[in-house]
mmCIF file with all atom_site columns, all heavy atoms in Angstrom:
data_model
loop_
_atom_site.group_PDB
_atom_site.id
_atom_site.type_symbol
_atom_site.label_atom_id
_atom_site.label_alt_id
_atom_site.label_comp_id
_atom_site.label_asym_id
_atom_site.label_entity_id
_atom_site.label_seq_id
_atom_site.pdbx_PDB_ins_code
_atom_site.Cartn_x
_atom_site.Cartn_y
_atom_site.Cartn_z
_atom_site.occupancy
_atom_site.B_iso_or_equiv
_atom_site.pdbx_formal_charge
_atom_site.auth_seq_id
_atom_site.auth_comp_id
_atom_site.auth_asym_id
_atom_site.auth_atom_id
_atom_site.pdbx_PDB_model_num
ATOM   1  N N   . GLU A 1 31  ? -23.227 -27.510 190.097 1.00 98.00 ? 314 GLU A N   1
ATOM   2  C CA  . GLU A 1 31  ? -24.206 -28.590 189.908 1.00 98.00 ? 314 GLU A CA  1
ATOM   3  C C   . GLU A 1 31  ? -24.349 -28.915 188.422 1.00 98.00 ? 314 GLU A C   1
ATOM   4  O O   . GLU A 1 31  ? -24.387 -28.004 187.582 1.00 98.00 ? 314 GLU A O   1
ATOM   5  C CB  . GLU A 1 31  ? -25.556 -28.170 190.484 1.00 98.00 ? 314 GLU A CB  1
ATOM   6  C CG  . GLU A 1 31  ? -25.520 -28.084 191.999 1.00 98.00 ? 314 GLU A CG  1
ATOM   7  C CD  . GLU A 1 31  ? -26.866 -27.687 192.593 1.00 98.00 ? 314 GLU A CD  1
ATOM   8  O OE1 . GLU A 1 31  ? -27.883 -27.678 191.865 1.00 98.00 ? 314 GLU A OE1 1
ATOM   9  O OE2 . GLU A 1 31  ? -26.887 -27.374 193.785 1.00 98.00 ? 314 GLU A OE2 1
ATOM   10 N N   . ASP A 1 32  ? -24.420 -30.212 188.139 1.00 98.00 ? 315 ASP A N   1
ATOM   11 C CA  . ASP A 1 32  ? -24.669 -30.637 186.754 1.00 98.00 ? 315 ASP A CA  1
ATOM   12 C C   . ASP A 1 32  ? -26.070 -30.169 186.331 1.00 98.00 ? 315 ASP A C   1
ATOM   13 O O   . ASP A 1 32  ? -27.034 -30.285 187.083 1.00 98.00 ? 315 ASP A O   1
ATOM   14 C CB  . ASP A 1 32  ? -24.559 -32.165 186.651 1.00 98.00 ? 315 ASP A CB  1
ATOM   15 C CG  . ASP A 1 32  ? -24.429 -32.631 185.214 1.00 98.00 ? 315 ASP A CG  1
ATOM   16 O OD1 . ASP A 1 32  ? -25.394 -32.439 184.437 1.00 98.00 ? 315 ASP A OD1 1
ATOM   17 O OD2 . ASP A 1 32  ? -23.375 -33.192 184.860 1.00 98.00 ? 315 ASP A OD2 1
ATOM   18 N N   . ASN A 1 89  ? -15.075 -39.284 182.697 1.00 98.00 ? 372 ASN A N   1
ATOM   19 C CA  . ASN A 1 89  ? -15.208 -39.915 181.388 1.00 98.00 ? 372 ASN A CA  1
ATOM   20 C C   . ASN A 1 89  ? -14.113 -39.374 180.475 1.00 98.00 ? 372 ASN A C   1
ATOM   21 O O   . ASN A 1 89  ? -13.860 -38.170 180.445 1.00 98.00 ? 372 ASN A O   1
ATOM   22 C CB  . ASN A 1 89  ? -16.593 -39.613 180.793 1.00 98.00 ? 372 ASN A CB  1
ATOM   23 C CG  . ASN A 1 89  ? -17.704 -40.327 181.541 1.00 98.00 ? 372 ASN A CG  1
ATOM   24 O OD1 . ASN A 1 89  ? -17.552 -41.492 181.923 1.00 98.00 ? 372 ASN A OD1 1
ATOM   25 N ND2 . ASN A 1 89  ? -18.814 -39.643 181.757 1.00 98.00 ? 372 ASN A ND2 1
ATOM   26 N N   . GLY A 1 95  ? -18.572 -41.888 176.867 1.00 95.00 ? 378 GLY A N   1
ATOM   27 C CA  . GLY A 1 95  ? -19.605 -40.881 177.061 1.00 95.00 ? 378 GLY A CA  1
ATOM   28 C C   . GLY A 1 95  ? -19.123 -39.484 177.369 1.00 95.00 ? 378 GLY A C   1
ATOM   29 O O   . GLY A 1 95  ? -19.925 -38.643 177.792 1.00 95.00 ? 378 GLY A O   1
ATOM   30 N N   . SER A 1 97  ? -18.776 -35.910 176.814 1.00 98.00 ? 380 SER A N   1
ATOM   31 C CA  . SER A 1 97  ? -19.490 -35.014 175.890 1.00 98.00 ? 380 SER A CA  1
ATOM   32 C C   . SER A 1 97  ? -18.971 -33.586 175.954 1.00 98.00 ? 380 SER A C   1
ATOM   33 O O   . SER A 1 97  ? -19.165 -32.815 175.019 1.00 98.00 ? 380 SER A O   1
ATOM   34 C CB  . SER A 1 97  ? -21.000 -35.037 176.179 1.00 98.00 ? 380 SER A CB  1
ATOM   35 O OG  . SER A 1 97  ? -21.251 -34.625 177.504 1.00 98.00 ? 380 SER A OG  1
ATOM   36 N N   . HIS A 1 102 ? -13.385 -32.864 183.585 1.00 98.00 ? 385 HIS A N   1
ATOM   37 C CA  . HIS A 1 102 ? -14.290 -32.682 184.727 1.00 98.00 ? 385 HIS A CA  1
ATOM   38 C C   . HIS A 1 102 ? -14.469 -33.984 185.460 1.00 98.00 ? 385 HIS A C   1
ATOM   39 O O   . HIS A 1 102 ? -14.450 -35.056 184.860 1.00 98.00 ? 385 HIS A O   1
ATOM   40 C CB  . HIS A 1 102 ? -15.650 -32.135 184.274 1.00 98.00 ? 385 HIS A CB  1
ATOM   41 C CG  . HIS A 1 102 ? -16.282 -32.922 183.162 1.00 98.00 ? 385 HIS A CG  1
ATOM   42 N ND1 . HIS A 1 102 ? -15.898 -32.779 181.845 1.00 98.00 ? 385 HIS A ND1 1
ATOM   43 C CD2 . HIS A 1 102 ? -17.257 -33.858 183.172 1.00 98.00 ? 385 HIS A CD2 1
ATOM   44 C CE1 . HIS A 1 102 ? -16.616 -33.603 181.090 1.00 98.00 ? 385 HIS A CE1 1
ATOM   45 N NE2 . HIS A 1 102 ? -17.447 -34.277 181.874 1.00 98.00 ? 385 HIS A NE2 1
ATOM   46 N N   . HIS A 1 104 ? -17.146 -35.995 187.847 1.00 98.00 ? 387 HIS A N   1
ATOM   47 C CA  . HIS A 1 104 ? -18.511 -36.068 188.377 1.00 98.00 ? 387 HIS A CA  1
ATOM   48 C C   . HIS A 1 104 ? -18.440 -36.557 189.823 1.00 98.00 ? 387 HIS A C   1
ATOM   49 O O   . HIS A 1 104 ? -17.749 -37.544 190.119 1.00 98.00 ? 387 HIS A O   1
ATOM   50 C CB  . HIS A 1 104 ? -19.349 -37.082 187.598 1.00 98.00 ? 387 HIS A CB  1
ATOM   51 C CG  . HIS A 1 104 ? -19.540 -36.784 186.134 1.00 98.00 ? 387 HIS A CG  1
ATOM   52 N ND1 . HIS A 1 104 ? -20.717 -36.293 185.624 1.00 98.00 ? 387 HIS A ND1 1
ATOM   53 C CD2 . HIS A 1 104 ? -18.700 -36.923 185.075 1.00 98.00 ? 387 HIS A CD2 1
ATOM   54 C CE1 . HIS A 1 104 ? -20.612 -36.158 184.302 1.00 98.00 ? 387 HIS A CE1 1
ATOM   55 N NE2 . HIS A 1 104 ? -19.394 -36.527 183.946 1.00 98.00 ? 387 HIS A NE2 1
HETATM 56 P P1  . 5GP B 2 .   ? -19.521 -35.969 180.297 1.00 68.77 ? 431 5GP B P1  1
HETATM 57 O O1  . 5GP B 2 .   ? -20.611 -36.689 179.567 1.00 68.77 ? 431 5GP B O1  1
HETATM 58 O O2  . 5GP B 2 .   ? -18.645 -35.167 179.342 1.00 68.77 ? 431 5GP B O2  1
HETATM 59 O O3  . 5GP B 2 .   ? -18.718 -36.825 181.226 1.00 68.77 ? 431 5GP B O3  1
HETATM 60 O O4  . 5GP B 2 .   ? -20.258 -34.947 181.256 1.00 68.77 ? 431 5GP B O4  1
HETATM 61 C C1  . 5GP B 2 .   ? -20.650 -33.684 180.863 1.00 68.77 ? 431 5GP B C1  1
HETATM 62 C C2  . 5GP B 2 .   ? -21.674 -33.220 181.861 1.00 68.77 ? 431 5GP B C2  1
HETATM 63 O O5  . 5GP B 2 .   ? -21.798 -31.814 181.741 1.00 68.77 ? 431 5GP B O5  1
HETATM 64 C C3  . 5GP B 2 .   ? -23.062 -33.813 181.626 1.00 68.77 ? 431 5GP B C3  1
HETATM 65 O O6  . 5GP B 2 .   ? -23.471 -34.514 182.795 1.00 68.77 ? 431 5GP B O6  1
HETATM 66 C C4  . 5GP B 2 .   ? -23.935 -32.586 181.354 1.00 68.77 ? 431 5GP B C4  1
HETATM 67 O O7  . 5GP B 2 .   ? -25.206 -32.688 181.930 1.00 68.77 ? 431 5GP B O7  1
HETATM 68 C C5  . 5GP B 2 .   ? -23.125 -31.460 181.951 1.00 68.77 ? 431 5GP B C5  1
HETATM 69 N N1  . 5GP B 2 .   ? -23.300 -30.183 181.279 1.00 68.77 ? 431 5GP B N1  1
HETATM 70 C C6  . 5GP B 2 .   ? -23.227 -29.940 179.932 1.00 68.77 ? 431 5GP B C6  1
HETATM 71 N N2  . 5GP B 2 .   ? -23.422 -28.636 179.679 1.00 68.77 ? 431 5GP B N2  1
HETATM 72 C C7  . 5GP B 2 .   ? -23.613 -28.041 180.889 1.00 68.77 ? 431 5GP B C7  1
HETATM 73 C C8  . 5GP B 2 .   ? -23.881 -26.684 181.278 1.00 68.77 ? 431 5GP B C8  1
HETATM 74 O O8  . 5GP B 2 .   ? -23.971 -25.775 180.470 1.00 68.77 ? 431 5GP B O8  1
HETATM 75 N N3  . 5GP B 2 .   ? -24.014 -26.446 182.615 1.00 68.77 ? 431 5GP B N3  1
HETATM 76 C C9  . 5GP B 2 .   ? -23.920 -27.433 183.550 1.00 68.77 ? 431 5GP B C9  1
HETATM 77 N N4  . 5GP B 2 .   ? -24.081 -27.091 184.835 1.00 68.77 ? 431 5GP B N4  1
HETATM 78 N N5  . 5GP B 2 .   ? -23.673 -28.720 183.212 1.00 68.77 ? 431 5GP B N5  1
HETATM 79 C C10 . 5GP B 2 .   ? -23.524 -29.014 181.902 1.00 68.77 ? 431 5GP B C10 1
#
Side-chain angles (χ1 to χ4, degrees):
E314 291 181 11
D315 196 295
N372 290 319
S380 59
H385 52 281
H387 298 255

